[in-house]
Amino acid sequence: MLTTNPFDVSDADEDKLREECGVFGIWGADTASAVVALGLHALQHRGQEAAGISSYDRNYFHSHRATGHIAGNFDEEDVIRQLPGDAACGHVRYSTTGESGLRNVQPLYAELSSGGFAVAHNGNISNAMTLRRELVSHGSIFQSTSDTETIIHLVATSAYKTLLDRFIDALKQVEGAYSLVCLTPEGMIGCRDPLGIRPLVMGKLGDAVIFASETVALDVVGADFIRQVDPGELIIVNDEGIKSHRPFPPLAPRPCIFEHVYFSRPDSIVDGQSVYSVRKQIGAELAIESPAPADLVIPVPDSGVPAAIGFAQESGIPFELGIIRSHYVGRTFIQPGDKVRHLGVKLKHNANRPLIEGKRVVLIDDSIVRGTTSTKIVDMMREAGATEVHMRVASPPTTNSCFYGVDTPEREKLLAAQMDVEHMREYIKADSLAFISIDGLYRALGEAGRNAEHPQRCDACFSGEYPTPLTDHDGLATVTQLPLLAERVK
C-alpha cells in the first residue's frame, strides 16, 4: 500500500511544466547591456531561477550573473555600467540540466584560442553526457554541470581553423534542441537546431540587430521584427553586416507545440501565428469536442484565460473570473503540515465565492501534469458552493517527459502516464474531465490534423514520438531514472 502520494508536491508551481530558458542578444547598440536587461524582463516567464548578461566593448568581455529575477539584479545603473560595450547577450534560466548554482548561470564564458566566447542556450543537448565523458577522457576540464558547456569544449577542441567552422563542427556533433546566441570578437551568432524545436527570432533596433526567444522581447525594447531564424540556420552579425549560413541538410521542421499551449507569452508571434489567437482557437476546438453542462466558464489563471475565452465564445456559456490570482506571491514558502500547506495554495488562488455559489462551472486549464493543482482547484470550487465542477484541458494528456529543455517530472509522476481519463477524473474529484484531442490541437494551429507519418511539430510529451535520438537517456537510464543523470556528472 502506498504511504505517500507520488503526484504530491508542496508547491503548486511544481505542478506546471516549466519552460527551460530565454535568450536575448544585440549587436551594434549603445549601452547594449541595458537593452538586453529590458529584453530579458519580457522573457522572465521562460526562466525565473537565474539570469546573466555578458557584454563586449571591442577590447574585453564583461559578465554579471545572479540567481533570481532580472528585477533587482540588473535594474541598478552601477550594474549596467559594469557591462560596457555595444554588443551583449543575456539569459534567463530554469535548471533543466545541471544543478541550481551560480556556476551554471548563463551566458557561459570561456577564453578560446580565437578570443572570448560567451554562449546563451535555450534547449537541451540530449547527448551532452556522452560527449562530456569523451571530452573529459581527452583532457577537457569542465567548470559547470550544464549541457551548454559541452558546446564550448567542442568548439575549443575542434581541428578546424576558423571560428565559424569550429562552431559548425561542434553543432554537428550534438543532438537535441538548441537556440543559441553567442558573442565573439568576430560577431554575434544566432542559430537554431535543424528541426527548429526551440524558437528564435531576429529584429532590428535602428541599425542594431537583435536575437530573442520571442517577439514580445522585441516589442518591449521598441525593435522591429524581421523574421524568425529558420531551423538549421546560423546567422552571423558583425560590422560587415548580416550573413546567413545553412550548414545542415534540410529537414522537415518540428517546432515545439507547447510553445503555443503554454510557454510563450500570449502577446508573442510564434511560427507566424499569434499565440493568443491560437489559444483562443484551442478553447473553441475544446468546446466543440467536449461540451460541458455549465453556467459559467472559469479559467485557471493566468495561462487558462485565452482558451477559456475561446471556449466561452464557442459554447455561448458566460466567461467569468471565478478564480482570482495574487500576483504578489512567489513560490509558496509554507512547508510544515498538510493543513497549513493547503492553506498556502490560497495565497495564489482564491475562489470568487459570490459568483460561483449555486452554479455549475467548467474550469479551463492549459494542462494537467501531476494533478495536484487541479485537485485543489476543484476542491476550492466546491467549497465556494459550486453545484457541479467540470474540467476541460487545452492540451492532450501529458504522458511523456520532455528531453528538449522543458522541466518535466519523471514519467512515473505524470498523472496521465499512470491513469486513464476516467481515473484522472476520480483523482481530481471533478464531475467530468476532458482533454483536447491531438488532432484538435493541430486544427487550432491551422492544420487539418496531425500527420501520423510525418508530424508537423514536436509533440513528444503527448505522443511519445521523439524527433531526435536520445543518446544519454537510451544509453544510461529509463525515463524514471532521468533526473539522476545530471547528478552523475557533478
Side-chain angles (χ1 to χ4, degrees):
M1 180 177 179
L2 288 174
T3 57
T4 60
N5 184 342
F7 307 112
D8 191 29
V9 287
S10 61
D11 192 330
D13 282 348
E14 299 296 333
D15 197 25
K16 286 287 185 184
L17 298 182
R18 298 191 304 186
E19 175 59 308
E20 61 302 319
C21 299
V23 298
F24 188 101
I26 186 167
W27 180 275
D30 294 334
T31 60
S33 58
V35 179
V36 172
L38 290 173
L40 292 178
H41 269 288
L43 299 174
Q44 190 74 82
H45 60 288
R46 299 185 74 89
Q48 300 175 39
E49 182 180 282
I53 296 176
S54 294
S55 69
Y56 177 55
D57 64 2
R58 310 305 176 101
N59 291 303
Y60 301 101
F61 283 81
H62 312 269
S63 294
H64 182 74
R65 300 182 295 167
T67 57
H69 291 190
I70 289 292
N73 284 310
F74 291 92
D75 288 345
E76 299 297 329
E77 289 186 12
D78 60 339
V79 174
I80 298 300
R81 279 197 296 268
Q82 294 171 28
L83 298 168
D86 62 358
C89 65
H91 187 268
V92 288
R93 176 179 193 263
Y94 275 131
S95 57
T96 60
T97 299
E99 65 185 8
S100 301
L102 197 59
R103 64 174 174 162
N104 285 328
V105 179
Q106 298 184 35
L108 297 185
Y109 176 79
E111 286 284 348
L112 307 183
S113 60
S114 57
F117 187 88
V119 57
H121 171 207
N122 172 208
N124 194 63
I125 306 304
S126 58
N127 65 336
M129 284 173 287
T130 301
L131 292 169
R132 182 184 183 115
R133 285 197 302 271
E134 183 177 349
L135 287 161
V136 169
S137 71
H138 287 88
S140 290
I141 300 172
F142 280 72
Q143 301 298 314
S144 76
T145 59
S146 169
D147 61 332
T148 308
E149 191 179 357
T150 304
I151 297 172
I152 296 176
H153 285 273
L154 290 172
V155 174
T157 58
S158 173
Y160 284 87
K161 299 299 183 183
T162 69
L163 176 62
L164 175 61
D165 287 339
R166 292 164 69 185
F167 186 62
I168 292 171
D169 180 42
L171 295 184
K172 287 185 174 179
Q173 297 178 64
V174 304
E175 300 168 356
Y178 56 83
S179 285
L180 302 172
V181 176
C182 306
L183 188 59
T184 80
E186 298 180 24
M188 177 169 284
I189 303 171
C191 65
R192 291 175 77 188
D193 66 79
L195 294 174
I197 297 173
R198 302 260 65 89
L200 190 66
V201 299
M202 182 169 62
K204 292 199 76 174
L205 180 63
D207 293 328
V209 178
I210 294 174
F211 295 108
S213 290
E214 294 184 36
T215 60
V216 66
L218 303 178
D219 297 338
V220 166
V221 302
D224 295 322
F225 169 71
I226 303 301
R227 63 178 179 90
Q228 71 171 7
V229 177
D230 290 335
E233 184 180 19
L234 186 155
I235 299 175
I236 300 178
V237 180
N238 54 32
D239 293 342
E240 297 177 2
I242 303 171
K243 190 170 183 179
S244 172
H245 300 266
R246 299 178 186 269
F248 302 101
L251 297 172
R254 295 285 297 277
C256 173
I257 201 167
F258 224 91
E259 291 286 347
H260 287 283
V261 174
Y262 174 65
F263 295 144
S264 295
R265 265 182 48 164
D267 45 346
S268 279
I269 305 295
V270 174
D271 300 325
Q273 295 178 284
S274 160
V275 173
Y276 177 78
S277 297
V278 168
R279 289 179 186 167
K280 280 182 62 180
Q281 190 57 39
I282 291 172
E285 289 285 344
L286 188 56
I288 293 169
E289 289 186 348
S290 302
D295 304 307
L296 300 176
V297 175
I298 294 176
V300 178
D302 290 321
S303 55
V305 171
I309 293 172
F311 192 101
Q313 290 177 348
E314 179 64 34
S315 66
I317 302 172
F319 169 94
E320 294 287 357
L321 295 178
I323 302 170
I324 306 302
R325 179 188 174 191
S326 171
H327 292 268
Y328 304 99
V329 179
R331 293 174 60 84
T332 307
F333 57 87
I334 296 173
Q335 295 296 329
D338 289 339
K339 182 176 180 180
V340 177
R341 183 182 297 120
H342 177 72
L343 293 176
V345 175
K346 293 188 177 182
L347 289 173
K348 294 184 178 180
H349 297 112
N350 191 45
N352 192 347
R353 180 179 291 272
L355 189 71
I356 293 165
E357 193 166 14
K359 299 293 197 316
R360 301 170 299 166
V361 302
V362 54
L363 298 170
I364 310 295
D365 205 355
D366 60 88
S367 61
I368 292 180
V369 182
R370 289 180 171 93
T372 50
T373 296
S374 300
T375 301
K376 292 168 183 175
I377 294 293
V378 170
D379 284 345
M380 184 185 299
M381 293 295 98
R382 296 200 190 283
E383 291 173 2
T387 59
E388 295 179 16
V389 183
H390 304 272
M391 176 73 78
R392 296 294 181 266
V393 185
S395 62
T398 303
T399 54
N400 295 273
S401 299
C402 177
F403 300 102
Y404 301 124
V406 177
D407 186 13
T408 315
E410 54 267 38
R411 194 167 189 269
E412 67 182 6
K413 292 186 178 180
L414 294 172
L415 194 67
Q418 309 302 319
M419 301 180 184
D420 61 21
V421 174
E422 176 56 22
H423 284 98
M424 292 175 72
R425 182 199 66 76
E426 293 176 357
Y427 179 84
I428 68 172
K429 301 177 183 177
D431 291 287
S432 72
L433 170 66
F435 297 77
I436 193 170
S437 69
I438 198 160
D439 281 334
L441 182 55
Y442 274 88
R443 285 194 297 271
L445 285 157
E447 306 279 354
R450 183 180 190 266
N451 185 324
E453 294 184 2
H454 303 286
Q456 305 94 306
R457 300 174 187 270
C458 180
D459 54 24
C461 52
F462 309 132
S463 68
E465 297 181 23
Y466 295 95
T468 74
L470 302 176
T471 298
D472 290 340
H473 165 260
D474 293 340
L476 292 176
T478 63
V479 174
T480 56
Q481 295 170 312
L482 191 68
L484 302 176
L485 297 183
E487 298 293 328
R488 297 186 184 185
V489 299
K490 291 180 183 177

